[in-house]
Amino acid sequence: MTTTVRPEALAALDAADPLAAFRDRFHLPRDVVYLVGNSLGALPEAARARVAEVVDREWGDGLVGSWNTAGWFDKPRDVGELLAPLIGAAPGQVLVCDTTSLNLYKALFAALALRPGREVVVAEAHAFPTDLYMIEGALGTREGHRTRLIGRDAPDLASALNEDVAVVVLSHVDYRTGALTDLAEATRQARAHGALVIWDLCHSVGALPVDLDAAGADFAVGCTYKYLNGGPGSPAFVYVARRHQEAARQPLSGWHGHRAPFEFAVGYEPAAGIDRFRTSTPQVLSYAPLEASLGMWREVDLGQVRAKSLALTGLFMDLVESRLGAAGVEVVTPRDERRGSHVALRHEHSYGIVRALADRGVLGDFRAPDTMRFGFAPLYLRHLDVWNAVAAMEEAVATRAWERPEYANRPTVT
Amino acid sequence: MTTTVRPEALAALDAADPLAAFRDRFHLPRDVVYLVGNSLGALPEAARARVAEVVDREWGDGLVGSWNTAGWFDKPRDVGELLAPLIGAAPGQVLVCDTTSLNLYKALFAALALRPGREVVVAEAHAFPTDLYMIEGALGTREGHRTRLIGRDAPDLASALNEDVAVVVLSHVDYRTGALTDLAEATRQARAHGALVIWDLCHSVGALPVDLDAAGADFAVGCTYKYLNGGPGSPAFVYVARRHQEAARQPLSGWHGHRAPFEFAVGYEPAAGIDRFRTSTPQVLSYAPLEASLGMWREVDLGQVRAKSLALTGLFMDLVESRLGAAGVEVVTPRDERRGSHVALRHEHSYGIVRALADRGVLGDFRAPDTMRFGFAPLYLRHLDVWNAVAAMEEAVATRAWERPEYANRPTVT
């Protein structure tokens, strides 16, 4: 049982870890246990050189010619192909561009156009809010459509579905609880009612194997700055199943999505294939760290990532329950395998605990009103880190650290 | 007369140039005369250190905490305030975020909502096409609106305006010809008919003084990677006059535009002021060079920029007409002061000439079918560069360089 876990045994697990060598390919500050990789991934060492190459050689020396010679123009497509294997997508179905919110907006219009006569968009009341806000913004420009929220208007997906539903927007992994939805099964359910699904993969890509093609998925979006380590604000991705591309239309129809952008024609004609989901000039510099990181990801076995993720999150939950359960720390994340790679805990004084942990070098995050989240990025975390994090939490809780005045005030941004 | 211009006199002008010292603050490859700064500005030397700071210190060491401690979350607003003086905007009216295309989309919806019952969007048939494509995409999601194109459906702005017009989208400087529209006068004309104007400042910001507040402007958008040297794909800007902000709504309503993004509420409530034009996570790394460049721009006198721009473009047109006019090179750009900082020339063999110039170290660009464009960024170009560029063109034309087989095939992307 986990109460008898010894650090020596964990060190042995770390020594035998087939992913152990990846840790050295990240920059991690000394004496920090970084458990917020589910929000912003750590810096891959290879990113520095790639960024310098883009700035010094491609921009500084290559100047405007680099749009061709350095492949800047094709970044969304080319980096999309680098990412595609991580989400089980055959070539020609993924772009890396814009943000998750914008890509969701595009996918939503495309999906609605594919389901004329259906008026309902199903989403989750517990979705990351930007998904809901983008749906609201999009539907505000259209007559006759309405949302139906799982967790508010209907108890679950099955009861939300009927023949009025055009599109379902689902999170693969819940950003708060870490709960994992069965992607293939939910896709099958929605499609059985004739609805299309847009998957939000923000909290699953790079944390576990995702197989969109095999699931018969329609659309997916997600970000690249969490487990994929693309850096702050690195561009997001959009997946459109090949069978939907020819009929797909989206309103953010900038010149990079045009069939022939350099003809400078007055009228918009969408490019063939996935390129019609491009909008405009890619933020070239923000692709650079992601390119470096995705190069490294080509060496990664996602099965090993998933196994280690389950091991780390499982160990963390076991230790928290056995050592902190009596002190009122509650595990929110599912204990079975229906979870992603972060763990949510609840405690009356979560804010103070997270602050106290930070002062002990253990970084997690706080979500109002009473939740702590800890992400376990399998490429750079060790079993011993889990041990140390729980030990620090025990110490913080035992000393009632939240009573210290410096942990009393919540910042407006957390 | 310009036919008697001597290089010694130009060297004297360069020596007396009050902006001369800025040239050393850019990286310019040796033996290159870079006349494409109207497309992608050169690399400011200060950008390298700022980029390294963001990667190494803010991301690498600061990790997710940098959203607060390094001010990442507020980049759109803070960098917007750095840019605001360059477009004559008092504080609280400018964001730097997303792309020009996306910001135009947002501004268009906001403007349409402010003019209910009016059905027409006036735009220019000769606008940079992405503006037209985004208008087309936006109106495709709305019933009842239609476009009226100056240069196709109406000969000029005056005849395009009537009481049906909700919004007018105008380019301050024409991306092809370099022609400058009188911003204050066109704004007055449109407003006399009750229409709102969205200005596209892509080809004027950093090239000449722009004074949006003084002109009573409504909305403006533009990019930062041309004369402002923000780097490839650096984020764009949007200006919304303060008087319109409270009533303004836009559909790209991501969480960063929410009144309280960290409340994670189910429903969207727009932030007060300009922040409601934010969408989602800013591409932090792509702001870094722009921040460095805008720091430098605070030292720049835009009146000096305009004077030097007119001097360089005027000298170039004089020399081209006197030395190449007889060979069939035609100046397209207005000879009076109604021009921006780039010059368009026309010649049957423009493509071959541009290629031949590149091989002589003079970089310009080609726009089908027969136009050459040359941009004159006043911060890093000299009068002698103009002389050398024209000398190279004379040589290319005299030797009929376009007859060389290596200059025959046009690339698909130019």
Side-chain angles (χ1 to χ4, degrees), chain A residues 98-99 101-102 280-281 283, chain B residues 76 95-104 106 222-225 233-238 250 252 277-283 286-287:
Chain A
D98 299 324
T99 67
S101 296
L102 291 164
S280 46
T281 307
Q283 57 265 41
Chain B
L95 291 178
V96 168
C97 62
D98 299 324
T99 67
T100 305
S101 297
L102 291 165
N103 287 333
L104 175 63
K106 293 184 265 187
C223 72
T224 64
Y225 45 72
S234 60
F237 64 87
V238 57
Q250 61 87 10
L252 303 180
F277 282 79
R278 297 183 62 166
T279 302
S280 46
T281 307
Q283 57 266 42
S286 288
Y287 284 79

Side-chain angles (χ1 to χ4, degrees), chain A residues 122-128 131-132 148-151 169-172 181:
Chain A
V122 169
E124 302 155 312
H126 58 278
F128 189 75
D131 291 3
L132 302 176
R148 182 178 299 153
L149 294 189
I150 298 168
V169 180
L170 295 173
S171 310
H172 194 196
T181 296

Side-chain angles (χ1 to χ4, degrees), chain B residues 60-353:
Chain B
D61 294 334
L63 291 161
V64 73
S66 288
W67 281 106
N68 297 312
T69 56
W72 287 351
F73 194 86
D74 294 322
K75 285 294 170 206
R77 182 69 175 265
D78 291 345
V79 181
E81 296 299 6
L82 281 178
L83 187 144
L86 298 174
I87 56 175
Q93 301 178 106
V94 181
L95 291 178
V96 168
C97 62
D98 299 324
T99 67
T100 305
S101 297
L102 291 165
N103 287 333
L104 175 63
Y105 189 87
K106 293 184 265 187
L108 182 65
F109 275 95
L112 288 174
L114 292 166
R115 288 295 179 270
R118 289 170 173 245
E119 293 178 343
V120 174
V121 175
V122 168
E124 303 156 311
H126 57 278
F128 188 75
T130 206
D131 291 4
L132 302 176
Y133 303 159
M134 295 305 290
I135 294 168
E136 188 178 330
L139 298 192
T141 69
R142 298 173 69 97
E143 293 294 319
H145 283 89
R146 61 188 190 279
T147 54
R148 182 178 298 154
L149 293 190
I150 297 168
R152 191 190 71 178
D153 308 320
D156 55 24
L157 176 62
S159 53
L161 288 168
N162 65 17
E163 309 312 305
D164 298 334
V165 177
V167 187
V168 182
V169 180
L170 295 173
S171 310
H172 194 195
V173 170
D174 186 295
Y175 81 102
R176 294 165 311 142
T177 66
L180 174 70
T181 296
D182 185 328
L183 190 147
E185 171 57 20
T187 299
R188 192 199 58 70
Q189 266 187 280
R191 294 181 61 85
H193 290 268
L196 298 173
V197 182
I198 303 172
W199 284 99
D200 180 335
L201 304 179
C202 283
H203 290 268
S204 61
V205 62
L208 53 132
V210 179
D211 202 344
L212 293 174
D213 284 351
D218 303 298
F219 297 88
V221 298
C223 72
T224 64
Y225 45 72
K226 299 179 185 292
Y227 298 103
L228 296 188
N229 318 294
S234 60
F237 64 87
V238 57
Y239 162 94
V240 181
R242 188 179 293 279
R243 66 184 179 282
H244 292 317
Q245 291 175 4
E246 194 181 331
R249 294 291 182 278
Q250 61 87 10
L252 303 180
S253 47
W255 68 304
H256 282 236
H258 194 278
R259 180 187 57 75
F262 289 91
E263 283 185 4
F264 301 101
V266 168
Y268 183 77
E269 291 177 60
I274 188 71
D275 283 332
R276 63 183 57 186
F277 282 79
R278 297 183 62 166
T279 302
S280 46
T281 307
Q283 57 266 42
V284 173
L285 189 54
S286 288
Y287 284 79
L290 179 60
E291 292 175 273
S293 183
L294 290 176
M296 178 176 64
W297 273 97
R298 297 180 74 165
E299 306 169 35
V300 174
D301 178 330
L302 276 173
Q304 292 177 349
V305 166
R306 176 62 169 162
K308 186 173 174 188
S309 164
L310 289 171
L312 295 178
T313 52
L315 173 65
F316 183 71
M317 292 191 286
D318 285 348
L319 289 172
V320 165
E321 288 196 335
S322 61
R323 304 193 174 185
L324 288 149
V329 178
E330 178 195 349
V331 174
V332 175
T333 300
R335 295 303 313 262
D336 60 24
E337 295 202 352
R338 286 175 297 183
R339 64 180 191 261
S341 205
H342 72 272
V343 171
L345 308 178
R346 198 176 285 139
H347 186 272
E348 181 186 1
H349 297 292
S350 277
Y351 177 71
I353 294 172

Side-chain angles (χ1 to χ4, degrees), chain A residues 75-77 79-84 86-89 93-107 172 183 198-206 210 212 219-228 233-240 274 277 283 287 290 294:
Chain A
K75 285 294 170 205
R77 182 69 174 266
V79 182
E81 295 301 3
L82 282 178
L83 187 144
L86 298 174
I87 55 175
Q93 302 177 106
V94 181
L95 291 178
V96 168
C97 60
D98 299 324
T99 67
T100 305
S101 296
L102 291 164
N103 287 333
L104 175 63
Y105 189 87
K106 292 184 266 187
H172 194 196
L183 189 146
I198 303 171
W199 284 100
D200 180 336
L201 305 178
C202 283
H203 290 268
S204 60
V205 63
V210 179
L212 293 174
F219 297 88
V221 299
C223 71
T224 65
Y225 45 72
K226 298 179 184 291
Y227 298 103
L228 296 186
S234 59
F237 64 87
V238 58
Y239 162 93
V240 181
I274 188 72
F277 281 80
Q283 57 265 41
Y287 284 80
L290 179 60
L294 290 176

Side-chain angles (χ1 to χ4, degrees), chain A residues 95-181:
Chain A
L95 291 178
V96 168
C97 60
D98 299 324
T99 67
T100 305
S101 296
L102 291 164
N103 287 333
L104 175 63
Y105 189 87
K106 292 184 266 187
L108 182 65
F109 275 95
L112 288 174
L114 292 167
R115 288 294 179 269
R118 288 171 173 244
E119 294 178 342
V120 174
V121 175
V122 169
E124 302 155 312
H126 58 278
F128 189 75
T130 205
D131 291 3
L132 302 176
Y133 303 160
M134 295 305 290
I135 293 168
E136 188 178 330
L139 297 192
T141 69
R142 299 174 68 96
E143 293 293 320
H145 284 89
R146 61 187 189 280
T147 53
R148 182 178 299 153
L149 294 189
I150 298 168
R152 191 189 70 179
D153 308 320
D156 55 23
L157 175 62
S159 52
L161 288 168
N162 63 17
E163 309 312 304
D164 297 335
V165 177
V167 187
V168 182
V169 180
L170 295 173
S171 310
H172 194 196
V173 170
D174 186 296
Y175 81 104
R176 294 166 312 142
T177 66
L180 174 70
T181 296

